[in-house]
C-alpha cells in the first residue's frame, strides 16, 4: 500500500470518491504535480473498498486493442476492460492517436460509460485534447463522454509539484 499516495489523495480531498457505475475522475496537470500519486491513492482506496481495478496507460490499452484486432479478438479484449469496476488510464496525451486508435478508444469509452468508473490522467489541458486525437469527430465524442458525470481536477498547485516540493513534507 502506498501510504504517501493515500495521504496526498486525502489532502486533495478525493480519497473518499465513491466509484459508482456512472462515476469517474479526470486528473489534469503538467508533469510533476503528482497526478499519478493522487490516482494511485484513489485506486488503493477503491481496491480497499472491494472494487476490481485495472491500472494502465493509454498506450498499452491501444497496443492491446490493436493486437487483439489483428487476430480477430478485438471484442474479447474490449470486454476485458468492461468487466472491471474501475479502469484507470494514465498518460492520456503523451502520444497522439491516429484515426483507428481514436476509434478504438472511443469504443472503450462509450461502452464503459455509465457501466463502470474510469479514471483518466493527462498532462494536457482539456483545450489541448484536439492535439491528442487528430480527428475531431472521435475527439469530441471521447471528450464528451469522459467529461459527463466526471470529477475533474486540474492540478497546477506548486505545493503538490514534485519538482519544487520539500523532501521533509508530510
Amino acid at each position: 500500500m502506498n501510504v504517501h499516495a493515500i495521504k496526498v489523495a486525502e489532502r486533495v480531498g478525493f480519497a473518499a470518491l465513491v466509484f459508482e457505475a456512472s462515476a469517474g475522475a479526470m486528473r489534469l496537470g503538467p508533469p510533476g504535480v503528482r497526478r499519478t500519486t493522487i490516482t494511485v491513492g484513489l485506486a488503493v482506496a477503491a481496491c480497499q473498498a472491494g472494487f476490481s481495478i485495472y491500472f494502465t496507460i493509454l498506450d498499452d490499452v491501444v497496443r492491446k486493442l490493436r493486437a487483439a484486432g489483428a487476430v480477430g479478438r478485438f471484442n474479447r479484449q474490449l470486454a476485458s476492460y468492461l468487466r472491471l469496476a474501475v479502469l484507470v488510464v494514465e498518460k492520456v496525451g503523451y502520444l497522439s492517436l491516429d484515426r483507428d486508435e481514436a476509434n478504438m478508444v472511443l469504443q472503450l469509452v462509450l461502452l464503459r460509460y455509465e457501466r463502470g468508473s474510469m479514471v483518466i490522467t493527462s498532462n494536457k489541458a482539456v483545450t489541448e485534447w484536439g492535439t491528442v486525437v487528430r480527428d475531431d469527430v472521435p475527439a469530441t465524442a471521447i471528450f464528451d463522454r469522459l467529461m459527463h458525470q466526471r470529477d475533474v481536477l486540474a492540478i497546477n498547485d506548486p505545493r503538490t509539484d514534485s519538482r519544487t516540493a520539500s523532501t521533509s513534507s508530510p
Side-chain angles (χ1 to χ4, degrees):
M1 177 168 76
N2 187 333
V3 175
H4 179 70
I6 293 172
K7 286 182 180 178
V8 170
E10 286 173 346
R11 184 175 78 203
V12 179
F14 292 101
L17 180 66
V18 177
F19 290 99
E20 297 171 352
S22 62
M26 292 179 71
R27 303 293 170 252
L28 310 174
V33 293
R34 300 186 184 202
R35 286 181 316 276
T36 298
T37 303
I38 292 167
T39 304
V40 166
L42 288 171
V44 168
C47 191
Q48 289 174 335
F51 292 98
S52 59
I53 290 199
Y54 187 68
F55 200 102
T56 188
I57 61 173
L58 183 62
D59 186 50
D60 191 47
V61 170
V62 169
R63 183 182 53 76
K64 285 182 178 180
L65 288 172
R66 184 178 293 282
V71 294
R73 293 184 173 225
F74 179 82
N75 288 337
R76 175 178 263 166
Q77 182 62 43
L78 192 59
S80 74
Y81 294 122
L82 301 177
R83 286 190 284 270
L84 305 156
V86 182
L87 176 62
V88 179
V89 181
E90 286 244 306
K91 310 227 181 284
V92 174
Y94 280 79
L95 299 173
S96 294
L97 301 174
D98 65 26
R99 184 180 187 95
D100 290 339
E101 293 167 340
N103 284 326
M104 287 186 276
V105 172
L106 174 60
Q107 287 182 61
L108 173 62
V109 170
L110 289 175
L111 289 172
R112 278 202 64 84
Y113 179 68
E114 293 195 1
R115 277 187 169 181
S117 288
M118 199 163 172
V119 179
I120 303 291
T121 70
S122 178
N123 64 330
K124 303 281 187 199
V126 170
T127 56
E128 298 175 282
W129 278 36
T131 63
V132 175
V133 181
R134 293 177 255 162
D135 186 327
D136 288 342
V137 174
T140 302
I142 290 168
F143 176 74
D144 179 59
R145 286 297 170 239
L146 288 176
M147 291 298 290
H148 186 250
Q149 297 183 359
R150 296 296 186 251
D151 166 47
V152 179
L153 173 64
I155 308 167
N156 233 350
D157 187 347
R159 291 174 297 172
T160 62
D161 192 331
S162 63
R163 296 169 297 180
T164 61
S166 165
T167 56
S168 62
S169 63

